[in-house]
Amino acid sequence: MDWTLIQSMIRPELAGVVAVCWIIGYGLKRTAGIRDWMIIYFVTAAGIVFAGFTAGWTADGVMQGIFCGAVAVYGNQLVKQTAQALRKEDAHD
């Protein structure tokens, strides 16, 4: 998937919501009692709430929140899995 497509789906003024969702996910990952599978639901809910306040409580605002949460989780996994792959490569060298 091309990042320009993703950028066109999320309103520019919601870039901060993506960042906040990423930070919330990071914090939840380090919180005892929160299982990994729960994090995506919390991050998505936070995205919807913050986007609702920013973009309005409409169907579009809810979709923007879902997109923000999804991009935050996807971005985190992209960084995490790339770092893991690079560490494995370094171990084999």
Side-chain angles (χ1 to χ4, degrees), residues 1-56:
M1 180 173 268
D2 187 7
W3 274 106
T4 55
L5 175 62
I6 293 171
Q7 288 174 335
S8 70
M9 295 173 78
I10 298 176
R11 293 183 191 172
E13 65 267 19
L14 296 177
V17 174
V18 174
V20 168
C21 287
W22 193 315
I23 293 166
I24 288 171
Y26 181 83
L28 289 172
K29 179 69 176 169
R30 282 145 185 77
T31 302
I34 302 292
R35 297 181 183 259
D36 286 348
W37 66 267
M38 301 165 120
I39 294 172
I40 192 168
Y41 295 103
F42 285 117
V43 169
T44 301
I48 292 169
V49 169
F50 287 115
F53 283 116
T54 305

Side-chain angles (χ1 to χ4, degrees), residues 54-65:
T54 305
W57 294 101
T58 62
D60 182 59
V62 171
M63 288 305 300
Q64 291 292 311

